[in-house]
Amino acid sequence: MDEFSKYRSPLVSRYASKEMAYNFSDRKKFTTWRKLWIYLAKAEKALGLLVTDAQVTEMESHAEDIDFAMAVEEESKLRHDVMAHVHTFAHCCPTAAPIIHLGATSCYVGDNTDLILLRDGFDILLPKLARVIDRLSNFAEKYAGLPTLGFTHYQPAQLTTVGKRACLWLQDLAMDMRNLQRAREDLRFRGVKGTTGTQASFLQLFQGDHDKVEDLDRMVTEMAGFKKAYMVTGQTYSRKVDIDSLSHLASMGATIHKICTDIRLLANLKEIEEPFEKEQIGSSAMAYKRNPMRCERCCSLARHLIALLADPLQTASVQWLERTLDDSANRRISLPESFLTADIILSTLQNITEGLVVYPKVIERHIRHELPFMATENIIMAMVKAGGNRQDCHEKIRVLSQQAANVVKQEGGDNDLLARVQADPYFAPILGHLDNILDPKTFIGRAPQQLPTISWVNCGPFLLTELV
């Protein structure tokens, strides 16, 4: 059966980056298993168990050459994936066969590998999120002073600026950067804990020497690149760790869904569009269309990312005592899919933020359509300063505003409130100042000054962003 005759996950076949697809591949998983067996053998040898240099060297020389067909055949017989790979590894390492997996339980390779994959997954996501923040901050700075209609309830409200609105998105993304960084740094190693987390098998191997068991745990943890291991585990590390990791990814999904929904709404108004390729087709039937398909893809996948959070929440809640196996099948799906989905929407959002198109003239036209209504209070204040009576002016403006609103809503015409004000002799004292009164830049408040500075703080191998 060829690959087109069976289901393929679109997360990998259609969307995900090569590095994230590899991170959750069988090759990465099972070579990591072998590395963990090598770490264990090295540490056991260093602490005095009967493990030879020849056995370690043999394991290292075969760490990458996995006979996947043999492993599948072994698993079909044994119904146990870890033991299938123990046998497969032992087949090409006959000298080391007696000491492979010595004292360990399946979760030694299974859970520790999952933690490595989560850590490496965050390492892939964090630079991508940083790039999105960088691109969007450039966009915000470029359009910091460009007035645009603000919306509350998706109804025209006070003006803001295009750049200030982008900072609403930036602030949420900065929170996501903080959260992902923390989740990555909070990850610990399961380490060498034995069948129910008591390390009984290793205590037996080391003839009751507690110090050596602790040294074994520490040495393997360090070889795997972790600073700390969880102090207590059952057979597995606490499944709340998965909640912590996936909840921050789901939260980022909510952020990106909001950003891309905003862009889709603005695209409908023809104020801002995502990039559109020269030969891109928007619709098979309507040739004129420029659909926001990248933003729609982000929203679609972000919903999946958010929904995936239910899996680790429910899994953690039903882990009986030291563990049950009903977590396994679920985690094989929910962990990789969360990281693959997060990877896709970040890559897509980077593409969007690198090519956002702004149409200032359309934005200006929309402002002109609404600004006369918004400026009524300013007009009243100007008339009072010119010696007028506030209540008389308010009544004049109320009547003219309703007449203009009737033209807009009932007749489909343009907002002619300004023309009505200019035609009314009552407003003669301020006609020379109307242009200044109606300057959009006088309605944006401190929006340009509220743009934060993006501060990149060195945090080990990453850059944590702060808005200051």
Side-chain angles (χ1 to χ4, degrees):
M1 181 182 291
D2 64 58
E3 63 175 323
F4 298 105
S5 301
K6 56 187 178 182
Y7 175 77
R8 298 182 300 158
S9 170
L11 292 177
V12 174
S13 65
R14 188 175 179 90
Y15 299 124
S17 66
K18 291 181 180 179
E19 61 266 30
M20 190 62 83
Y22 175 74
N23 189 55
F24 290 98
S25 68
D26 282 351
R27 183 165 297 280
K28 172 75 177 283
K29 176 180 178 178
F30 296 127
T31 55
T32 303
W33 283 14
R34 291 193 174 187
K35 289 176 183 177
L36 287 167
W37 283 320
I38 292 168
Y39 299 155
L40 182 62
K42 283 183 172 181
E44 289 174 339
K45 175 182 178 297
L47 292 169
L49 294 188
L50 292 177
V51 178
T52 67
D53 288 333
Q55 289 173 319
V56 172
T57 300
E58 184 180 54
M59 293 169 71
E60 289 179 327
S61 66
H62 293 284
E64 303 286 340
D65 58 338
I66 299 175
D67 187 338
F68 287 100
M70 180 180 179
V72 170
E73 184 179 351
E74 288 289 327
E75 186 172 353
S76 68
K77 293 186 297 184
L78 303 174
R79 308 298 297 172
H80 196 290
D81 57 349
V82 174
M83 287 309 299
H85 278 269
V86 168
H87 287 194
T88 303
F89 198 15
H91 179 75
C92 60
C93 299
T95 302
I99 57 91
I100 293 174
H101 198 65
L102 181 60
T105 185
S106 297
C107 286
Y108 167 69
V109 289
D111 271 30
N112 282 325
T113 292
D114 285 343
L115 290 162
I116 289 171
L117 300 185
L118 295 182
R119 179 196 66 191
D120 293 353
F122 281 123
D123 289 354
I124 294 169
L125 293 179
L126 283 163
K128 293 190 176 188
L129 179 53
R131 284 194 289 272
V132 169
I133 291 172
D134 177 69
R135 306 308 190 263
L136 195 55
S137 65
N138 292 337
F139 176 85
E141 184 176 358
K142 181 177 180 180
Y143 294 102
L146 180 61
T148 189
L149 283 177
F151 289 88
T152 59
H153 314 274
Y154 201 43
Q155 303 298 314
Q158 285 189 349
L159 300 191
T160 183
T161 69
V162 172
K164 166 65 190 302
R165 176 180 284 144
C167 287
L168 299 177
W169 307 335
L170 271 170
Q171 181 166 254
D172 288 352
L173 289 170
M175 293 180 190
D176 293 319
M177 175 66 87
R178 176 203 64 195
N179 292 342
L180 264 61
Q181 180 74 44
R182 287 177 179 173
R184 196 269 183 198
E185 291 302 315
D186 284 347
L187 284 175
R188 296 188 179 194
F189 205 50
R190 177 190 178 274
V192 184
K193 297 297 196 296
T195 305
T196 57
T198 65
Q199 298 177 307
S201 58
F202 297 104
L203 190 62
Q204 185 177 359
L205 282 173
F206 289 106
Q207 300 179 343
D209 191 329
H210 290 269
D211 290 337
K212 285 191 175 182
V213 175
E214 291 184 4
D215 287 342
L216 179 71
D217 201 1
R218 176 185 52 78
M219 291 169 67
V220 173
T221 297
E222 290 175 356
M223 281 189 267
F226 284 80
K227 296 177 182 178
K228 295 181 180 179
Y230 294 107
M231 184 174 295
V232 293
T233 72
Q235 188 172 86
T236 69
Y237 67 80
S238 170
R239 295 311 184 215
K240 283 185 69 67
V241 174
D242 296 340
I243 296 174
D244 285 349
S245 296
L246 269 58
S247 65
H248 293 314
L249 298 183
S251 179
M252 185 179 72
T255 295
I256 295 176
H257 197 296
K258 185 266 192 293
I259 293 170
C260 290
T261 299
D262 284 355
I263 295 172
R264 291 166 65 190
L265 292 170
L266 294 169
N268 172 261
L269 298 175
K270 296 181 174 58
E271 292 189 356
I272 294 179
E273 287 182 344
E274 67 178 39
F276 197 87
E277 308 299 336
K278 183 178 180 181
E279 297 182 5
Q280 182 177 330
I281 294 175
S283 167
S284 61
M286 295 165 280
Y288 62 88
K289 292 194 76 179
R290 292 169 64 99
N291 298 332
M293 50 83 67
R294 292 173 177 84
C295 287
E296 290 172 319
R297 178 190 301 165
C298 284
C299 289
S300 182
L301 291 171
R303 288 200 298 273
H304 180 57
L305 181 56
I306 294 167
L308 283 169
L309 179 56
D311 282 340
L313 286 167
Q314 295 186 62
T315 295
S317 72
V318 297
Q319 287 302 287
W320 302 347
L321 305 175
E322 278 64 52
R323 81 86 53 102
T324 59
L325 195 59
D326 63 343
D327 63 338
S328 178
N330 186 288
R331 294 174 71 254
R332 289 175 191 267
I333 299 168
S334 60
L335 297 186
E337 286 204 357
S338 292
F339 277 83
L340 287 163
T341 306
D343 177 68
I344 295 159
I345 61 177
L346 278 177
S347 296
T348 307
L349 186 59
Q350 179 183 334
N351 176 268
I352 293 168
T353 54
E354 287 177 345
L356 281 174
V357 181
V358 178
Y359 296 103
K361 293 298 182 183
V362 176
I363 293 172
E364 182 182 343
R365 184 173 72 245
H366 290 159
I367 290 174
R368 286 201 308 269
H369 189 73
E370 299 290 344
L371 191 60
F373 291 141
M374 298 178 186
T376 54
E377 183 65 21
N378 294 38
I379 292 173
I380 291 172
M381 295 303 295
M383 281 296 298
V384 170
K385 288 180 180 180
N389 179 284
R390 185 198 178 280
Q391 280 65 41
D392 293 341
C393 185
H394 183 279
E395 179 59 19
K396 283 277 188 180
I397 287 290
R398 185 188 69 80
V399 172
L400 296 181
S401 294
Q402 290 184 356
Q403 293 172 350
N406 186 67
V407 171
V408 172
K409 295 178 180 179
Q410 300 296 330
E411 301 175 16
D414 292 332
N415 186 339
D416 64 356
L417 176 58
L418 181 57
R420 293 176 185 273
V421 169
Q422 290 172 324
D424 192 323
Y426 176 82
F427 294 100
I430 64 167
L431 291 184
H433 307 293
L434 270 183
D435 286 345
N436 290 333
I437 294 172
L438 293 169
D439 182 354
K441 290 188 176 181
T442 66
F443 290 82
I444 60 176
R446 299 190 65 253
Q449 289 73 34
Q450 288 181 343
L451 259 72
T453 299
I454 307 299
S455 175
W456 295 102
V457 181
N458 197 343
C459 294
F462 303 109
L463 293 174
L464 178 62
T465 184
E466 294 181 347
L467 300 186
V468 295

